[in-house]
């Protein structure tokens, strides 16, 4: 399968073996939560941007509520290696200059 789209960066804020309602107190008022499944776990992420600097700011703003929040990357709806997505992002940034 060839992935063609640009990487999309999100901030993963939680993971659980059992699904949680996104309007529960667990999510501390955070809205627009994306849910995906990976390795038998239900994972929760917020934000969706092609701009890595934007997702870094979002992560920083969430750390008080979710100290373990971290950045993940997707392409064409599939989770991909953050390192590969960052390499591609940086390459695209250089080409735009």
């Amino acid at each position: 399968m060839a992935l063609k789209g640009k990487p999309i960066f999100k901030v993963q804020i939680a993971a659980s073996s059992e699904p949680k309602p996104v309007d529960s107190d667990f999510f501390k008022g955070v809205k627009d939560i994306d849910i995906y499944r990976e390795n038998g776990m239900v994972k929760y992420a917020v934000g969706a941007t092609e701009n890595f600097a934007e997702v870094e700011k979002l992560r920083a703003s969430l750390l008080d509520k979710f100290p373990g929040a971290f950045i993940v990357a997707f392409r064409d709806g599939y989770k991909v290696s953050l390192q590969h997505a960052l390499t591609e992002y940086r390459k695209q940034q250089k080409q735009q200059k």
Side-chain angles (χ1 to χ4, degrees), residues 10-69:
K10 300 181 181 188
V11 178
Q12 183 175 318
I13 58 172
S16 175
S17 58
E18 296 295 323
K20 297 182 182 305
V22 293
D23 60 351
S24 75
D25 291 341
F26 178 81
F27 293 108
K28 304 171 186 172
V30 173
K31 303 287 185 209
D32 300 322
I33 298 172
D34 293 327
I35 301 169
Y36 67 100
R37 293 181 184 270
E38 181 182 49
N39 299 326
M41 298 291 288
V42 182
K43 300 187 177 186
Y44 303 89
V46 294
T49 181
E50 294 177 3
N51 186 315
F52 191 74
E54 286 179 16
V55 83
E56 284 181 308
K57 288 178 188 174
L58 176 60
R59 178 184 171 269
S61 74
L62 292 166
L63 286 175
D64 60 329
K65 293 181 181 182
F66 302 97

